[in-house]
Amino acid sequence: MYDDWPQPIKRVALIGNFPPRLCGIATFTFDVHAALTTAFPDMAVDVYAMNDPGVDHAFPEAVVCALDQDDIADYNAAAHRINESGADVVIVQHEYGIFGGDSGVHLLRLLDRVSAPVVVTLHTVLEAPNSGQRAVLDALARRASKLIVMADKGREILERVNGVSSDLIAVVPHGVPDRPLVETADMKERFGFAGHDVLLTFGLLSPNKGIETVIEALPEIVAQNPDALYVVLGATHPHLVAREGEAYRDRLRALAEEKGVANSVRFIDGFLEQELLLDYLAAADIYVTPYLNEAQITSGTLSYAIALGKPVVSTPYWHANELLADDVGIIAPFGDSGAFVEAINGLLGDRVKMERMRRRAYLIGRGMIWPRLAAAYVKICEDAVIRRPVRLKSVGRDESVPSRPRLEGVERLTDGCGMIQHSIFAIPDRDHGYCVDDNCRALMLMHLIDGEDAARADELATVYASFVQHAWNGEIGRFRNFMAFDRGWLEREGSEDSFGRSLWAIGVTAGQARRADMRRWALHLFDQVAPHVLPLGSPRTLAFALIGADAVLDVHPGHSVAHTIVAEFGQRLMRLLDAVQRPGWMWFEAVLGYDNARLPEALIRAGRRLGNRDMMAKGLASLDWLDTIQRNPERLFRAVGTDSFGRAYAKPLPFDQQPLEAWATIEAAALAFDETGETRWVETAWAAYRWYRGANDIGLPIGSPEDGGCFDGLMSDRVNLNQGAESVLAFQFACCGMARLLKAAEKPRGRRDLAGDLRYR
């Protein structure tokens, strides 16, 4: 009856630092884990903990997976493990310094691959982020069901600086322990503080903490309050120790000596377990946070001090301004020792005011205790699960006519030089320039565009052919691949696969271009280039080159080099398949990669061209095997995700799925239908085509028939909204391929004479 009634959260994946790593995020993540498991004992909370670079921590049992900060494979593995665990929601403790890549961008790779809703706690919110930090936060806002901040200032900055909608943001104060309010005298004797007025600062020591400000104020504080004792509690930050050892602590000691207050400062070095830390805090009369930078959106140490009923003297960083607004502390300007003298002496001289502040702080702290945070987090998680988008698995299944190809998406990415390889949404991204791979694909597509767009397609074909010609580096017998937007080549030699793809495009152009001058150019370049491909060995290079040579043989059956490529590369693909295959693995490599269906397609083409039945049969068998693993449980097409790359003899992972795979599958299935007449191959092609239209794992369309665009990939919960050249071209090829296949399927098949219908024209 209540469709939106929250279901119990049974399992949470909690990502962040964790003890024994020494930092505030680790402590906070530990406390969140403890709060959730204590308040909700039937809920499993799996911790995914980050390792310091070069360090393998001995994590406790709560940590089910440790990730090396800079190892992208660990992020992929963690995402896979989260999906396999059945986690209802993922909670991330985010700080820019703990995840790998520029501004922590590696985290996005993990989040893009998990299927559960994501909630992100932001420990830092920046008013002036750099471009990398802004990009990461914008991506987190797109992916997350909710962003949690610990102060209203965080909400205000997210709305003003990052344009985040207010309904995406939740304010949950930093959690604090629930301890009784005690008299400081009861705790001082334990630590040797009896008879002193204790000023306390605790946390990891680093120069931005402003300890110098208080030490410089001490002479005047002690002159008026001789029993004042400044306790600096905490280990030096591990990253600072790694750079300079304890030089910073030594500088603070030297400053105390110089000011004549060494006996009034006590340094306690160590990362203390929480209960002992709280005991020290209970012994303090005034808590001091002299931080030097306002851009601190949250302070766990300040929150703890308030929770234990401590009057506070602090600089006006963001969290302090908010938390001390209710008469629980005094704000002093950054670096102003005189203001600290005035504030501290004023409190020590007015014990009534101190007591009022103490009780007021303790009362405020009751609203921040860990059980309240746990309840707030679980409510946010329940809402995230309720609002998780419904996946419409049936979308696109009823489409019976493929969309006609459209040039708009291709032209949007094309200028006078060639096709730009990437875009930001639908806007060409000039920063990444051009590549021969995309211009080769674009050249082949132009030969398939007919009707009223044919003349424009031929004009564009000249642009793409010119790029391919310029990419040929005859001095070394290789194609270049990447070109900057200023038209300078970024390399002398591209990859083997770029070479193979270039030969494929040239061969198809030689056989299928409408214009005779274009066919002459292509055959001339093919004759120069083809002999140089023979020493290469990448499986996809073999496949691409073979498909191109086969296209040349369609119109020049006596072309000796083309015949040599088909014969030799067909045999080499056969040998790869025979060497690698095993029960349950009918494939050419021990791993899956990109453009997978091109390998069996090439072997089938070679078998047909050479009249080799064994070659043909193995090509069909490998395509059949690929078809079985490219389906989800509902028999929808599931492209082999990029996360699968490099995993030997392993079941493919589903994300992220690339448009290239569906196009390749359509072409290979069309060829298989031509050779066998089996309608199951038409169904395979339809499944791959309908993937573009929304019949996929998340029910979201990838291709856009209206303007010829296509998104760049299918993630676990959304599409990648960029529309790069490879994706746009793949969808247009898919539209052309399905139209040709359906036309061929309508013809009577008394004799197997449909080969021409299924080739590029």
Side-chain angles (χ1 to χ4, degrees), residues 49-171:
M50 304 303 301
N51 270 320
D52 282 305
V55 178
D56 288 322
H57 292 294
F59 289 115
E61 185 178 346
V63 175
V64 301
C65 181
L67 294 76
D68 285 345
Q69 179 175 324
D70 297 316
D71 189 344
I72 196 67
D74 280 5
Y75 293 82
N76 294 338
H80 179 60
R81 182 158 186 164
I82 290 170
N83 290 335
E84 291 291 312
S85 76
D88 298 298
V89 68
V90 178
I91 301 176
V92 178
Q93 302 305 317
H94 181 265
E95 178 63 77
Y96 287 108
I98 69 176
F99 301 105
D102 180 21
S103 302
V105 72
H106 289 354
L107 172 65
L108 302 178
R109 187 175 183 90
L110 188 162
L111 298 183
D112 280 342
R113 286 155 176 77
V114 296
S115 56
V118 173
V119 173
V120 180
T121 301
L122 299 173
H123 288 260
T124 295
V125 181
L126 300 174
E127 193 157 37
N130 62 35
S131 59
Q133 292 163 340
R134 179 182 289 275
V136 167
L137 190 90
D138 288 348
L140 288 174
R142 290 193 298 270
R143 177 63 180 92
S145 298
K146 192 73 76 174
L147 299 176
I148 297 175
V149 293
M150 301 185 205
D152 286 325
K153 181 67 175 181
R155 177 196 292 276
E156 186 270 328
I157 294 174
L158 288 176
E159 293 179 9
R160 173 171 50 84
V161 175
N162 300 95
V164 177
S165 173
S166 61
D167 60 3
L168 183 63
I169 308 166
V171 180

Side-chain angles (χ1 to χ4, degrees), residues 6 29 41 89 93 100 111 140 163 174 321 348 355 441 515 519 543 582 680 722 754:
T29 309
V89 68
Q93 302 305 317
L111 298 183
L140 288 174
H174 193 295
N321 270 339
L348 293 177
E355 181 63 19
R441 296 184 185 103
R515 288 167 31 202
R519 293 196 299 273
R582 60 168 64 172
R680 56 82 42 107
N722 295 329
L754 304 179

Side-chain angles (χ1 to χ4, degrees), residues 540 580 585 587-594 596 599 625 640 644-650:
R540 282 159 188 76
V580 175
W585 191 267
W587 200 238
F588 304 82
E589 302 172 285
V591 298
L592 293 161
Y594 73 99
N596 290 297
L599 301 178
W625 178 83
V640 172
S644 304
F645 296 179
R647 301 172 71 247
Y649 295 108

Side-chain angles (χ1 to χ4, degrees), residues 544-617:
F544 299 155
L546 191 157
I547 295 170
D550 189 49
V552 170
L553 292 173
D554 279 343
V555 291
H556 301 284
H559 197 290
S560 60
V561 177
H563 189 275
T564 297
I565 290 172
V566 171
E568 182 172 328
F569 285 9
Q571 288 297 330
R572 287 166 69 176
L573 287 170
M574 279 280 282
R575 289 195 293 271
L576 286 173
L577 184 61
D578 291 340
V580 175
Q581 67 175 311
R582 60 168 64 172
W585 191 267
M586 185 66 180
W587 200 238
F588 304 82
E589 302 172 285
V591 298
L592 293 161
Y594 73 99
D595 239 351
N596 290 297
R598 296 300 174 189
L599 301 178
E601 178 192 349
L603 197 55
I604 295 168
R605 288 186 180 279
R608 179 169 65 179
R609 181 67 63 184
L610 302 171
N612 187 321
R613 292 182 177 273
D614 186 36
M615 194 174 282
M616 176 78 70

Side-chain angles (χ1 to χ4, degrees), residues 511-758:
Q512 298 162 18
R514 278 180 290 266
R515 288 167 31 202
D517 62 331
M518 181 71 72
R519 293 196 299 273
R520 284 194 297 271
W521 162 78
L523 186 62
H524 175 70
L525 184 57
F526 186 92
D527 289 340
Q528 295 178 59
V529 168
H532 295 277
V533 80
L534 293 170
L536 304 184
S538 161
R540 282 159 188 76
T541 302
L542 304 181
F544 299 155
L546 191 157
I547 295 170
D550 189 49
V552 170
L553 292 173
D554 279 343
V555 291
H556 301 284
H559 197 290
S560 60
V561 177
H563 189 275
T564 297
I565 290 172
V566 171
E568 182 172 328
F569 285 9
Q571 288 297 330
R572 287 166 69 176
L573 287 170
M574 279 280 282
R575 289 195 293 271
L576 286 173
L577 184 61
D578 291 340
V580 175
Q581 67 175 311
R582 60 168 64 172
W585 191 267
M586 185 66 180
W587 200 238
F588 304 82
E589 302 172 285
V591 298
L592 293 161
Y594 73 99
D595 239 351
N596 290 297
R598 296 300 174 189
L599 301 178
E601 178 192 349
L603 197 55
I604 295 168
R605 288 186 180 279
R608 179 169 65 179
R609 181 67 63 184
L610 302 171
N612 187 321
R613 292 182 177 273
D614 186 36
M615 194 174 282
M616 176 78 70
K618 289 188 175 181
L620 289 167
S622 62
L623 182 61
D624 180 72
W625 178 83
L626 181 64
D627 187 35
T628 64
I629 67 168
Q630 287 189 148
R631 301 294 186 114
N632 71 7
E634 295 185 357
R635 294 289 297 160
L636 299 179
F637 181 76
R638 173 185 281 173
V640 172
T642 58
D643 287 349
S644 304
F645 296 179
R647 301 172 71 247
Y649 295 108
K651 177 183 176 182
L653 299 175
F655 301 108
D656 57 18
Q657 301 176 32
Q658 301 293 299
L660 194 71
E661 302 306 318
W663 163 39
T665 299
I666 291 169
E667 296 286 356
L671 181 64
F673 171 74
D674 179 43
E675 289 305 313
T676 66
E678 296 176 4
T679 57
R680 56 82 42 107
W681 292 115
V682 179
E683 188 278 329
T684 293
W686 264 124
Y689 177 78
R690 287 170 175 152
W691 176 89
Y692 292 102
R693 303 299 301 123
N696 51 48
D697 279 295
I698 65 172
L700 295 176
I702 297 290
S704 174
E706 293 75 21
D707 65 358
C710 184
F711 297 125
D712 273 353
L714 196 71
M715 307 300 186
S716 62
D717 71 322
R718 60 189 172 87
V719 296
N720 180 339
L721 294 178
N722 295 329
Q723 298 186 43
E726 178 184 294
S727 304
V728 170
L729 292 166
F731 180 49
Q732 298 314 303
F733 273 115
C735 294
C736 295
M738 281 306 304
R740 288 180 293 123
L741 172 57
L742 296 179
K743 182 179 178 181
E746 292 172 354
K747 292 185 178 181
R749 297 182 58 84
R751 292 185 300 112
R752 192 167 297 168
D753 58 358
L754 304 179
D757 293 324
L758 298 183

